[in-house]
Amino acid sequence: QENWKPQLLLLYTLREEVHPDDSSENIDKSKAGQSGHTHELMLSVAEQLRHGSGLIIAAAIIPKGNELMDDVQQVEKERAQMETIMADMGVRGFCMPVLSPSGFEGKRYALQCAGVGPLTPNTLLMGWPWWWRSDPRKYVTEFLLTINQATLWSKTVLLCHNLNDFPAMDQVLDGFIDVWWIIRDGGLLLLISHLLQKHRVWRGCDSRLHLVMESGVNPQEIKER
């Protein structure tokens, strides 16, 4: 659609720079600082994508414990923390703590329940599970099931990887935004590039388009389009 813009559901488990099973011996903890995605990094990506308009709902998935009162306190603590972070960063949006028996169930609840009417997210933004090698059977399955749920609910999916390399909101860049565009993907990657260029961080950058084509396609015809 010509006027489509991302209404973002930012989905994460608590403090994803720390592994959910931090006691596991199979985790390469040296990667946490490089690949982990804090609240602040995820919110920075979301804010640069929406450029002051559109919706951001930050859904924090909180594992359910054995005591209800402790769970309620944890939910309120997380809500207050997120509201403080968003206010400090100048990000306007809503925080939605989700209490659930498991990470996947919480993400499934958030995908179904976040928003109301026209203020319903159409885009899922979440981090790459850098800890997946510690238990591939568990974390790869959960990751793929979450993407499948997003597809079933007609959400666009944006995955963030190595967010420490993503510019902060007080930076100003120049150079190029390289778009590796697969023909017939609907133009989403081009739109993301366009939206980023509206933000002050990326305003000095030009888009550079790389076309990924099937064999037998005439490159000159594609360029003329």
Side-chain angles (χ1 to χ4, degrees):
Q1 297 180 3
E2 183 178 348
N3 296 321
W4 186 93
K5 60 182 177 182
Q7 309 278 14
L8 296 167
L9 172 62
L10 192 162
L11 201 58
Y12 61 91
T13 50
L14 286 184
R15 308 309 297 183
E16 286 192 343
E17 73 274 24
V18 179
H19 185 272
D21 295 335
D22 199 46
S23 61
S24 173
E25 297 179 355
N26 298 324
I27 304 168
D28 183 358
K29 293 184 175 64
S30 66
K31 293 183 179 180
Q34 301 168 6
S35 305
H37 21 270
T38 65
H39 296 346
E40 295 83 352
L41 290 172
M42 296 285 284
L43 285 167
S44 178
V45 174
E47 180 66 17
Q48 290 176 49
L49 272 173
R50 75 165 193 155
H51 182 54
S53 63
L55 175 71
I56 294 178
I57 296 179
I61 311 304
I62 302 173
K64 186 178 180 181
N66 296 322
E67 296 292 335
L68 179 59
M69 288 305 301
D70 291 342
D71 289 341
V72 171
Q73 291 176 1
Q74 177 72 0
V75 166
E76 294 306 315
K77 178 181 178 181
E78 178 64 15
R79 189 194 307 276
Q81 179 186 31
M82 282 299 302
E83 289 175 349
T84 299
I85 292 173
M86 293 172 79
D88 290 345
M89 295 181 65
V91 176
R92 291 187 298 175
F94 304 96
C95 177
M96 186 179 111
V98 179
L99 190 65
S100 68
S102 68
F104 169 67
E105 288 299 317
K107 293 172 183 177
R108 188 163 66 91
Y109 298 160
L111 282 164
Q112 293 183 44
C113 301
V116 58
L119 297 179
T120 298
N122 58 19
T123 302
L124 170 63
L125 177 69
M126 65 179 184
W128 183 265
W130 57 268
W131 54 80
W132 69 270
R133 286 188 177 87
S134 66
D135 190 346
R137 183 182 296 274
K138 175 182 178 180
Y139 292 114
V140 172
T141 300
E142 179 181 305
F143 179 64
L144 294 177
L145 285 174
T146 301
I147 293 176
N148 182 57
Q149 284 290 312
T151 303
L152 290 174
W153 291 101
S154 301
K155 311 291 187 187
T156 297
V157 179
L158 301 178
L159 298 176
C160 300
H161 192 269
N162 288 337
L163 282 186
N164 279 331
D165 295 331
F166 200 84
M169 289 198 294
D170 58 354
Q171 292 181 255
V172 177
L173 303 180
D174 55 22
F176 296 96
I177 301 174
D178 285 319
V179 179
W180 291 86
W181 186 33
I182 301 175
I183 302 298
R184 304 185 187 92
D185 75 344
L188 178 63
L189 294 178
L190 287 173
L191 178 59
I192 290 174
S193 171
H194 173 69
L195 292 173
L196 287 175
Q197 285 177 299
K198 290 186 173 184
H199 195 278
R200 63 181 178 274
V201 172
W202 302 90
R203 199 166 291 153
C205 297
D206 294 320
S207 291
R208 188 162 54 185
L209 183 62
H210 307 270
L211 297 178
V212 180
M213 299 178 294
E214 300 173 357
S215 59
V217 175
N218 188 329
Q220 189 59 38
E221 289 182 2
I222 298 299
K223 287 181 179 181
E224 291 173 358
R225 292 181 187 179

